[in-house]
Amino acid sequence: MEFSSKLLEKAVNEMAQLPGIGKRTALRLVLHLLKQPVEQTQFLSQALTSMREEIKFCKNCHNISDVEVCEICNNPSRNHKIICVVEDVRDVMAIENTNQFKGIYHVLGGKISPIDGVGPSQLNIKSLVDKVALGQTEELIFALSSTMEGDTTNFYIFKQIKDFDIKTSTIARGIAIGDELEYADEVTLGRSILNRVPFENSLKNL
Amino acid sequence: MEFSSKLLEKAVNEMAQLPGIGKRTALRLVLHLLKQPVEQTQFLSQALTSMREEIKFCKNCHNISDVEVCEICNNPSRNHKIICVVEDVRDVMAIENTNQFKGIYHVLGGKISPIDGVGPSQLNIKSLVDKVALGQTEELIFALSSTMEGDTTNFYIFKQIKDFDIKTSTIARGIAIGDELEYADEVTLGRSILNRVPFENSLKNL
């Protein structure tokens, strides 16, 4: 792609570094900004820079926060004895949106994935084990992706904490609400039969 | 969507103003930046701001440029008597990539589209008519989209300049190279028969 302007080229190249944004999309976005008032670009740049420079991670659960300890960890009405282990900040937001969990979180910052060069030391695993070692925690809920990497990470953490007196659980895997059995894959369907729950339990969430 | 940080929320909201980028994608992009070195965000912001604030439009053809008159208009080896009329900067880049056109351009900045509130006065039409009125131009090539808005714009400009002694043409519409006839729509196929070209001509581009 040949550009008639170095400024344009540089902006497109920087934009195209974002994941899922190719050169063509980047050009479309940049030309859109050119048609908008100059303030829109200034606001965008300002918001991105101050977000990147000033944002903090909660020193307790590693969730994104504007202060040292995040709102969730700071909330005395939440149950600090139940910790939900998640991959990243988006998962915290997703679970919070369900309004079904009143414990606290621990954000790992990813999952163990040797193919991407991510080992246990790059994740917030040690701080989780240290937290459990304090003996204040009753239950760990693993809420990681149902993939090989997620399962590996669950198992790695499980091995580190299995000597402590603590309950561990994973979120239920099964047929998604609204799904037709016909289209479910065999592994999911098989597990959902093995892990069947008393019918009365399924009525509770209605 | 509930955010645990105002800084994050602001960055996501600004990002989501870009066309085709929803809140979820914006969040994904912003969280990606958070994982990258702080310099990447600074470079991106800097590139966008300086692009928006410093970029110029060629005063001759309205193409994007770092200087007053763009490289194409400044090139004495190009034929300044043939003007290719295009919608926007991307079209200039697309035609330049073909290496088939050695004239100059005129960027309208859009097309007449009442439904989007774009009338002739918002486009660079007057400067085109003024340029033609100088009598130095031999041919106008309309290279606009083959849509109702594109055709309307072509026709509007044609009416403005039809009293001048000037040749006008549009780029050829027809079956795209590599397309199967079976899948071509009727209008395109019908026009491609009406506007058939001598077989010898089709050999020239091989």
Side-chain angles (χ1 to χ4, degrees):
Chain A
M1 220 187 269
E2 291 223 12
F3 292 90
S4 54
S5 150
K6 290 274 167 236
L7 289 164
L8 182 70
E9 185 170 6
K10 212 173 147 193
V12 169
N13 285 341
E14 286 294 336
M15 205 66 153
Q17 305 231 348
L18 294 172
I21 301 213
K23 286 255 173 135
R24 265 167 190 267
T25 308
L27 179 62
R28 193 165 55 85
L29 297 178
V30 168
L31 291 179
H32 170 83
L33 285 176
L34 261 187
K35 284 191 183 172
Q36 303 300 311
V38 66
E39 289 79 20
Q40 184 174 339
T41 310
Q42 288 164 342
F43 287 153
L44 172 65
S45 301
Q46 191 52 49
L48 288 179
T49 320
S50 53
M51 183 273 301
R52 184 64 187 86
E53 287 172 356
E54 293 163 31
I55 220 162
K56 290 181 184 71
F57 292 92
C58 171
K59 63 178 182 179
N60 187 29
C61 71
H62 309 286
N63 188 13
I64 282 176
S65 169
D66 290 340
V67 282
E68 289 276 293
V69 175
C70 77
E71 279 176 34
I72 296 173
C73 290
N74 238 338
N75 188 340
S77 73
R78 299 190 74 121
N79 186 347
H80 286 236
K81 294 181 174 174
I82 304 182
I83 301 179
C84 182
V85 181
V86 295
E87 273 168 52
D88 74 13
V89 180
R90 271 179 292 177
D91 302 324
V92 174
M93 291 167 66
I95 296 176
E96 280 298 284
N97 275 338
T98 69
N99 277 321
Q100 296 288 337
F101 180 66
K102 292 296 163 211
I104 59 170
Y105 295 92
H106 187 90
V107 180
L108 295 176
K111 49 199 169 192
I112 297 173
S113 173
I115 215 163
D116 301 316
V118 181
S121 59
Q122 275 122 302
L123 305 176
N124 302 317
I125 291 181
K126 194 176 173 300
S127 59
L128 176 63
V129 176
D130 291 349
K131 211 189 291 178
V132 170
L134 294 175
Q136 303 290 316
T137 313
E138 284 174 1
E139 182 176 358
L140 273 198
I141 304 174
F142 293 118
L144 276 74
S145 303
S146 187
T147 59
M148 203 168 68
E149 288 83 9
D151 289 345
T152 307
T153 314
N154 284 344
F155 190 63
Y156 181 88
I157 299 174
F158 179 73
K159 277 203 303 180
Q160 305 269 309
I161 56 149
K162 70 175 190 298
D163 295 334
F164 300 110
D165 176 28
I166 181 174
K167 216 170 104 186
T168 51
S169 57
T170 67
I171 53 170
R173 318 292 190 192
I175 310 293
I177 311 293
D179 262 15
E180 307 223 18
L181 274 206
E182 194 181 347
Y183 302 114
D185 67 290
E186 289 161 21
V187 182
T188 303
L189 191 53
R191 290 246 194 124
S192 75
I193 291 174
L194 284 177
N195 300 326
R196 61 192 177 277
V197 292
F199 184 66
E200 294 88 334
N201 289 11
S202 71
L203 296 176
K204 281 184 203 158
N205 301 324
L206 295 181
Chain B
M1 220 186 270
E2 290 222 13
F3 293 91
S4 55
S5 149
K6 291 275 167 234
L7 290 164
L8 182 70
E9 184 170 7
K10 212 173 147 192
V12 169
N13 285 341
E14 287 293 336
M15 205 66 153
Q17 305 232 348
L18 294 172
I21 301 214
K23 286 253 173 137
R24 265 166 190 266
T25 309
L27 178 61
R28 193 167 53 84
L29 297 177
V30 168
L31 290 179
H32 169 83
L33 285 176
L34 261 186
K35 284 191 184 171
Q36 303 299 313
V38 66
E39 291 77 22
Q40 184 174 337
T41 308
Q42 287 164 341
F43 287 153
L44 172 64
S45 300
Q46 191 53 49
L48 288 179
T49 320
S50 53
M51 182 274 301
R52 185 63 187 81
E53 286 172 357
E54 292 163 31
I55 221 162
K56 291 183 184 68
F57 292 92
C58 171
K59 63 178 183 178
N60 188 26
C61 73
H62 309 286
N63 189 11
I64 282 175
S65 170
D66 288 339
V67 283
E68 289 277 293
V69 175
C70 77
E71 278 177 33
I72 296 172
C73 289
N74 239 339
N75 188 341
S77 73
R78 298 189 74 120
N79 185 348
H80 286 237
K81 293 180 173 176
I82 303 183
I83 300 178
C84 182
V85 182
V86 293
E87 274 168 49
D88 74 13
V89 180
R90 272 180 291 177
D91 302 324
V92 173
M93 290 168 65
I95 296 175
E96 281 298 286
N97 275 339
T98 68
N99 277 322
Q100 296 288 336
F101 179 64
K102 292 296 163 210
I104 58 170
Y105 294 91
H106 186 91
V107 180
L108 295 176
K111 49 199 168 190
I112 297 173
S113 173
I115 215 162
D116 300 315
V118 181
S121 58
Q122 276 120 303
L123 305 175
N124 302 316
I125 291 182
K126 193 176 174 298
S127 59
L128 176 63
V129 176
D130 291 349
K131 211 189 288 176
V132 171
L134 294 175
Q136 303 290 316
T137 313
E138 283 174 2
E139 182 177 356
L140 274 197
I141 303 174
F142 294 118
L144 276 74
S145 301
S146 187
T147 58
M148 202 168 68
E149 288 83 9
D151 290 346
T152 308
T153 314
N154 285 344
F155 189 65
Y156 181 89
I157 298 175
F158 179 74
K159 277 204 305 181
Q160 305 267 311
I161 55 147
K162 70 175 189 299
D163 295 334
F164 300 112
D165 176 28
I166 182 174
K167 215 169 103 185
T168 51
S169 58
T170 68
I171 53 171
R173 317 292 192 192
I175 309 294
I177 312 292
D179 262 15
E180 306 222 19
L181 272 207
E182 196 180 345
Y183 302 115
D185 66 291
E186 289 161 19
V187 182
T188 303
L189 191 54
R191 291 245 195 125
S192 76
I193 291 174
L194 284 176
N195 300 327
R196 61 192 177 276
V197 293
F199 184 66
E200 294 88 334
N201 289 11
S202 72
L203 296 177
K204 281 183 203 161
N205 300 324
L206 296 180

